[in-house]
Amino acid sequence: MTQDELKAFVAQAATHYVQPGSVIGVGTGSTVNCFIDALAAMPQRIAAAVSSSQASTERLRAHGIEVVDANSVEQLAVYIDGADEIDHRGHMIKGGGAALTREKIVADLAQRFICIADESKLVATLGAFALPVEVIPMAAAQVGRRLRALGGTPLLRPGVLTDNGCPIIDVRGLRITDPLAMETEIDQWPGVVCVGIFARHKASLCLLGTAQGVRTLTF
Ligand code: 5RP
């Protein structure tokens, strides 16, 4: 099975966690695009979605699914999103698609984070995928120096500004053995908007696409 087929497979499986008529959180990325298409094909639709990016908002609306402002909801039963890496405890690296800040905001509203990913995303230790950090522009150089002091190699993502108008620093070479500690540390540096470690907002469940079928990992 190809990676795209695995993505479509887990996206379809994720619809079983969606209550028709409810408002759900929707992430960003190619796996989530498959999920949005699967949502649109559900016989009984959701009431609305809170979206984590302009791209997902456009795709949801193109399917006739209403998108509501995050400020208009108090809580979401589920947030469904992909990941760049996920470990065996549900900690993730996210932000490959530059939507990490809004993704964390929507995840914070949700009671359950359901991660949908193909098996290539499952890792023993986070860090082979470059860690995205969204920053206020005037802090980019100083945050870069701090990331270097942590042992990483920071690189400003060329030609990219997030939906919030901020640049992203991608950090290679970090071996993230304590995701919660590193998330907490980087989060408190002045000028950091969001770090792409999702430890505090880790997955509750992961639907992992494998050649043998969908594996369900619970954390
Ligand atoms: C976007 C993300 C995505 O969830 C992550 O990049 C995975 O994307 P894909 O499903 O395309 O592999 O964090 O900011």
Side-chain angles (χ1 to χ4, degrees):
M1 219 178 287
T2 66
Q3 202 180 18
D4 283 348
E5 286 168 335
L6 292 179
K7 287 178 183 184
F9 212 34
V10 289
Q12 187 59 46
T15 60
H16 297 123
Y17 293 83
V18 173
Q19 190 68 41
S22 66
V23 180
I24 67 163
V26 173
T28 298
S30 56
T31 317
V32 166
N33 283 345
C34 298
F35 172 65
I36 294 172
D37 297 346
L39 262 185
M42 281 173 71
Q44 288 174 289
R45 287 209 165 185
I46 56 167
V50 175
S51 166
S52 64
S53 65
Q54 305 278 17
S56 289
T57 296
E58 279 166 28
R59 197 174 187 100
L60 285 158
R61 289 194 171 138
H63 279 302
I65 298 172
E66 189 185 350
V67 176
V68 294
D69 193 288
N71 290 302
S72 72
V73 300
E74 247 176 64
Q75 204 175 56
L76 299 165
V78 287
Y79 174 57
I80 296 179
D81 197 359
D84 297 304
E85 284 185 347
I86 181 161
D87 72 12
H88 293 269
R89 290 176 294 164
H91 304 131
M92 294 168 285
I93 286 185
K94 293 184 45 55
L100 61 163
T101 301
R102 294 185 185 204
E103 289 171 344
K104 215 176 262 190
I105 292 168
V106 187
D108 193 51
L109 285 167
Q111 288 175 298
R112 289 177 96 192
F113 187 137
I114 297 180
C115 175
I116 48 176
D118 66 85
E119 62 189 340
S120 69
K121 307 292 183 68
L122 186 65
V123 298
T125 306
L126 301 178
F129 189 91
L131 175 67
V133 183
E134 181 170 351
V135 292
I136 298 291
M138 74 174 283
Q142 172 64 356
V143 170
R145 281 187 285 271
R146 285 185 176 273
L147 290 165
R148 217 176 270 284
L150 276 190
T153 305
L155 184 72
L156 211 55
R157 196 179 295 183
V160 171
L161 287 181
T162 67
D163 287 349
N164 313 308
C166 295
I168 291 205
I169 301 173
D170 289 310
V171 196
R172 299 201 175 276
L174 293 174
R175 204 167 163 273
I176 306 172
T177 52
D178 188 343
L180 185 58
M182 191 175 284
E183 180 181 23
T184 306
E185 164 74 13
I186 296 175
D187 258 346
Q188 65 189 344
W189 298 342
V192 169
V193 178
C194 184
V195 57
I197 300 173
F198 282 57
R200 204 167 291 117
H201 296 87
K202 71 184 189 121
S204 343
L205 187 144
C206 178
L207 299 172
L208 197 71
T210 77
Q212 290 74 42
V214 177
R215 259 179 83 193
T216 305
L217 313 177
T218 46
F219 307 107

